[in-house]
Amino acid sequence: MLLAIDTATAQVGVAVGVDGAVVGRVELARGQRHAEALAPAIEYLLQATGVRLDQLAGIAVGIGPGLFTGLRVGVTTARVMAQVLRIPIVGVASLDLVAYPLRHTSRLLVAALDARRKEVFWSAYRTVPGGLQRLGDYAVGTPAELVAELEAHGAEVLLAGDGALRYREAFEAVDRVELAGPEFAMPSAGALIELACARFEREEFSRPTEILPLYLRRSDAEIEWERKPA
Amino acid sequence: MVTDARRVPELVLGIETSCDETAAAVVADGREIYSSIVSSQVDLHARFGGVVPEIASRAHLELINVVVAEALVEAGCDFADLHAVAACHGPGLAGALLVGVSAAKAVALCRSIPYVGVNHLEAHLQAAWLDEPDLAPPLAVLIASGGHTMIVIVEARGSYRVVGQTVDDAAGEAFDKVARFLGLGYPGGPAVDAVATEGDPRAVRFPRPMAGDGYDFSFSGLKTAVVQYVRAHPEAAVADVAASFQEAVVDVLSTKLLAAARDAGARTLVLGGGVAANRSLRSRVTDLAAADDRRAYLPGPALCTDNAAMIAATGWYRLHADGPTPLNDGATPGLRLPVVG
Ligand SMILES: [Zn+2]
């Protein structure tokens, strides 16, 4: 039995599952106050599904890229739960969790999450037998930069995520780009169960201290510091 | 008091991540420190000359598991032995607080034990009892650090009255800014303290801001006075300037603390916070108290600076006074001290 946690966006998502199948999940779409919502959500989910903590064989956590505040809550919670329960942990990119539920498309799949400060995090995927293959690195940039990249691709694109919806006018203006609906806007806790389960089966797990958020951006202070003349 | 030899002590794990120290501690029955681990991030922030919130939050996340594990190992216990878990939930840096609060709730959830959110300022006040269980209120306490500067009258354990606080910079911030200006490095408190021993504290008569003005403090004007003096006297010895600046800060802090104690009828003066480690402040408060037939109680530097033992002890006290904190309680960066009247 696995416990999955993703708090990389405004959503608080938790799920429990076994053998890649979801037993239960809680997704709070407006859970911006992650520190308040996460622990009670886990408590409720375990109670409602009747899953006991001693049945958990591993923890899966979405590691972003995403909003720093939420990520800190989810990743800390996952790391410490794994430590206390002495079980392994798996980190999965939250962009992958946006793309995965749309894997049956024949188009190029692009996940874009809102990064605030007028930027988006994004990643592109293509469908391969049994899942998705990511093309290139996780990226951060302005919607205009993503638009330029989509135009350069020239392929039919399915674009998903709350970052895509937030700047929908910019993306809808691009030829051959279609936006996935709001039901695909956030990382899926169910997808996290499925993806993590496969990783656990291949024993590709980590120790709690090895799991860190994918920040992509350095802190403002460091950026400012390097701009300063010596 | 009849003690039951078979009674198992109540172990509380405390976690502190409000600023730039990642700390965890195990304290028994709110009194006995089994372990207290503090991992300082000073080196990470040194080049910026102050604490950078985003860097602090990232470092807390990287360190939290190891610091907690070390606290348990040193205490010779395991998660299963804990009676409760406490974390500082404010005041402090938002992102930094969330790491400690989330970690503590994860422990509480996995072990089905109570979680207690602890006020950082109350923890500084309660730290005195860890060293001195017989400390009898009322106490006049000065909490001075990089984040806060206030005088609190502790009427009884758990009952506080804030009588004065800074209207601008905290005392520790003033030390950081002046040390940076004088090229003495970061953190400023220890840097100024060290170089001041070689200088003449009477070399420059810096202003004593708000000296006659109740128990509130102001330090930004003092910093400006130091800057102006050095610009006007570029030949002045840095040690003399540092010593004279420190003298002004110590003068204001100690004089106001004594006056507040007299006013409240407090027989004991107590220091807390990082600035309480300043040697000049410690000896001045000791002297002033003795000359006025009062007692000075100065916890060791390890209990004055941010630590998790004070969080665990306060958590135990609050658990017995008010019960556990619900798991849907988050962190409050601007949390105030719970006061009476
Ligand atoms: Zn403090």
Side-chain angles (χ1 to χ4, degrees):
Chain A
M1 198 71 73
L2 293 184
L3 172 69
I5 299 171
D6 185 281
T7 55
T9 61
Q11 171 182 270
V12 167
V14 290
V16 282
V18 66
D19 299 330
V22 173
V23 171
R25 68 167 149 181
V26 174
E27 285 171 344
L28 305 167
R30 287 175 181 269
Q32 287 102 328
R33 301 192 71 82
H34 303 85
E36 282 92 331
L38 180 58
I42 296 171
E43 206 174 30
Y44 167 77
L45 179 66
L46 293 175
Q47 193 193 5
T49 55
V51 172
R52 293 189 320 271
L53 284 159
D54 62 18
Q55 291 176 293
L56 294 180
I59 308 250
V61 63
I63 55 171
L67 305 179
F68 295 167
T69 303
L71 278 174
R72 272 194 255 292
V73 172
V75 174
T76 303
T77 302
R79 281 172 51 132
V80 175
M81 286 188 76
Q83 181 181 10
V84 179
L85 299 172
R86 298 175 196 281
I87 52 178
I89 183 167
V90 155
V92 177
S94 302
L95 283 169
D96 296 2
L97 304 177
V98 174
Y100 192 75
L102 292 162
R103 66 191 174 283
H104 300 297
T105 181
S106 55
R107 288 174 280 183
L108 180 74
L109 188 51
V110 176
L113 287 172
D114 185 7
R116 306 268 163 92
R117 288 187 247 162
K118 295 181 177 136
E119 290 188 322
V120 288
F121 298 116
W122 78 79
S123 183
Y125 306 82
R126 78 160 172 239
T127 307
V128 292
L132 287 174
Q133 182 186 34
R134 180 161 51 86
L135 310 167
D137 287 332
Y138 301 108
V140 62
T142 60
E145 288 173 287
L146 177 53
V147 164
E149 198 154 299
L150 294 174
E151 280 169 344
H153 266 299
E156 296 278 326
V157 173
L158 182 57
L159 182 60
D162 68 342
L165 295 177
R166 177 157 185 181
Y167 302 102
R168 63 182 315 146
E169 292 82 13
F171 298 122
E172 278 173 342
V174 185
D175 277 346
R176 297 180 304 275
V177 170
E178 190 196 344
L179 263 64
E183 68 272 36
F184 298 103
M186 298 302 196
S188 158
L192 182 50
I193 288 285
E194 228 178 304
L195 287 170
C197 193
R199 298 259 203 103
F200 273 105
E201 274 164 18
R202 296 196 298 269
E203 299 196 357
E204 289 173 10
F205 40 71
S206 311
R207 282 178 304 173
T209 48
E210 292 166 342
I211 298 294
L212 289 172
L214 278 175
Y215 290 112
L216 296 200
R217 278 198 297 226
R218 286 170 309 150
S219 72
D220 288 343
E222 284 170 290
I223 295 166
E224 284 302 315
W225 180 257
E226 295 194 0
R227 276 195 202 133
K228 263 193 225 169
Chain B
M1 196 174 85
V2 182
T3 49
D4 182 351
R6 291 162 306 171
R7 202 186 74 82
V8 179
E10 292 181 354
L11 301 187
V12 176
L13 171 67
I15 297 176
E16 156 66 41
T17 61
S18 66
C19 191
D20 62 341
E21 322 275 10
T22 314
V26 176
V27 173
D29 295 329
R31 282 190 296 271
E32 203 183 332
I33 302 174
Y34 279 20
S35 66
S36 182
I37 306 294
V38 179
S39 174
S40 175
Q41 307 172 4
V42 161
D43 297 347
L44 293 178
H45 302 283
R47 68 179 170 131
F48 302 104
V51 177
V52 181
E54 179 59 25
I55 292 175
S57 305
R58 292 184 186 190
H60 286 308
L61 175 48
E62 282 176 41
L63 293 166
I64 190 71
N65 296 70
V66 174
V67 170
V68 166
E70 255 182 75
L72 293 174
V73 167
E74 196 164 292
C77 69
D78 188 54
F79 286 110
D81 302 317
L82 299 175
H83 176 76
V85 54
C88 168
H89 66 167
L93 304 169
L97 288 168
L98 289 178
V99 174
V101 166
S102 300
K105 288 204 232 172
V107 174
L109 195 64
C110 290
R111 294 299 320 156
S112 301
I113 55 175
Y115 158 70
V116 190
V118 168
N119 182 304
H120 183 85
L121 297 169
E122 178 175 29
H124 272 305
L125 295 172
Q126 297 251 356
W129 275 283
L130 271 167
D131 247 8
E132 191 77 29
D134 300 325
L135 213 54
L139 315 171
V141 189
L142 168 70
I143 307 178
S145 72
H148 16 262
T149 301
M150 53 169 62
I151 293 176
V152 181
I153 302 301
V154 178
E155 316 263 18
R157 202 163 171 179
S159 171
Y160 316 112
R161 197 153 52 85
V162 179
V163 293
Q165 49 198 317
T166 183
V167 298
D168 41 55
D169 291 353
E173 247 179 308
F175 272 102
D176 284 344
K177 287 177 178 173
V178 167
R180 193 174 174 186
F181 175 70
L182 296 176
L184 298 175
Y186 175 84
V192 169
D193 196 359
V195 76
T197 56
E198 274 133 50
D200 176 6
R202 276 176 293 257
V204 192
R205 174 74 195 177
F206 286 121
R208 268 58 174 163
M210 302 179 78
D213 235 354
Y215 306 124
D216 282 343
F217 304 99
S218 165
F219 292 106
S220 75
L222 179 56
K223 182 207 71 189
T224 310
V226 172
V227 172
Q228 283 169 348
Y229 181 84
V230 172
R231 295 221 166 110
H233 305 84
E235 77 295 342
V238 168
D240 285 346
V241 175
S244 301
F245 158 75
Q246 177 172 278
E247 179 74 6
V249 175
V250 166
D251 225 22
V252 173
L253 291 175
S254 57
T255 309
K256 292 204 179 208
L257 177 61
L258 178 65
R262 280 180 176 161
D263 225 17
R267 308 300 313 166
T268 308
L269 277 58
V270 182
L271 291 184
V275 176
N278 182 281
R279 289 171 293 176
S280 172
L281 179 63
R282 293 174 83 87
S283 69
R284 181 72 60 82
V285 168
T286 306
D287 294 348
L288 281 182
D292 205 50
D293 197 24
R294 278 165 220 278
R295 207 184 142 217
Y297 174 66
L298 314 176
L303 274 179
C304 285
T305 49
D306 287 352
N307 66 87
M310 67 181 192
I311 302 294
T314 309
W316 183 85
Y317 174 81
R318 280 287 159 208
L319 179 63
H320 286 274
D322 314 326
T325 306
L327 289 184
N328 64 5
D329 189 79
T332 310
L335 191 66
R336 287 163 169 267
L337 192 64
V339 291
V340 288

